[in-house]
Amino acid sequence: MTEILRVENLTITYYSHSGSSQIGVKNINFSLNEGEIYGIVGESGSGKSTLLKILGGMDSISEGEVIFFEKKMTSFDESDYERHRRDDIGYIFQDFNLLDGLTIKENIILPLTLQNCGPEIIEARYKKLLDFLDIKDFENRKPDKVSGGEQQRAAIGRALIKSPKVILADEPTGSLDSGNMKSFIELVKNVNQRFHTTVVIVTHDTFVASNCDTVAFIEDGCIGEIIHKSDFQEDFHDKIIKIFTQVR
């Protein structure tokens, strides 16, 4: 498998206006392979969302290094970060972040619109996703007129339409019921298999984690155990629950 991202001794320190400091993540090391679904599991405040912001180029590195496709992110200038956020990364958020004034279709194609892609390119890429995401019946509705599961499918489409190298999902099932959560996970796995898209999911849900290929556990800003999927998902799920119970 091809390594596309490596995190080395990463530390993120935040400073308040008074000068006091707080560690977001500390001395983190892990690597990410192309085509992998990677889960980062931890409680609220454990540092998992902070880590996701670093990978997405939304926060700066205090110490250590993130190497993305053999490029050191500490050497990025602002234009490099902008390109990284625009071209390399797709985002899926817990609250979907769809724009109320746009239709589902308009929300999905928005990244390409902002990149000033031509209408033929936009329409061709959108059509590739239309049946795959099963959104034809509600593509012209506004977000407040569709269900949470349908909004989540639109959020996946918006992340996927620009063909990112990595999709980052921040607690993507936090607003979904159990039925929609399972549908979302199956869709993410289908995205991974069909488009060979690498996906990083931060979550505190053990079922979501059990559908990942690799799971890293984070507590108080530090990654502890990292485990890889076994042949049987139930066994993998049981192991995740056992470890997560210990770190909570």
Side-chain angles (χ1 to χ4, degrees), residues 109-227:
I109 67 174
L110 182 61
L112 300 185
T113 304
L114 295 176
Q115 291 178 21
N116 295 317
C117 291
E120 292 183 359
I121 294 175
I122 293 175
E123 198 62 28
R125 289 203 189 179
Y126 178 73
K127 284 184 177 179
K128 285 184 179 180
L129 297 178
L130 191 62
D131 292 333
F132 176 73
L133 294 171
D134 192 22
I135 57 176
K136 187 173 180 61
D137 289 343
F138 58 90
E139 63 176 330
N140 294 314
R141 298 180 192 171
K142 300 291 180 63
D144 63 346
K145 301 300 181 182
V146 302
S147 69
E150 290 166 340
Q151 289 184 50
Q152 190 63 282
R153 271 185 272 163
I156 292 174
R158 183 183 57 191
L160 191 59
I161 198 167
K162 59 182 182 177
S163 301
K165 295 182 174 71
V166 178
I167 287 179
L168 303 178
D170 192 358
E171 295 284 5
T173 62
S175 300
L176 302 178
D177 58 32
S178 60
N180 279 322
M181 177 179 70
K182 291 178 180 178
S183 296
F184 169 79
I185 291 300
E186 287 305 311
L187 184 55
V188 167
K189 290 164 74 173
N190 288 339
V191 165
N192 173 256
Q193 292 166 10
R194 177 168 174 175
F195 301 100
H196 203 59
T197 305
T198 307
V199 183
V200 179
I201 301 176
V202 300
T203 184
H204 63 269
D205 189 287
T206 57
F207 173 77
V208 173
S210 71
N211 284 273
C212 298
D213 300 310
T214 303
V215 175
F217 295 86
I218 186 168
E219 181 185 18
D220 296 329
C222 299
I223 284 185
E225 195 161 357
I226 298 176
I227 61 174

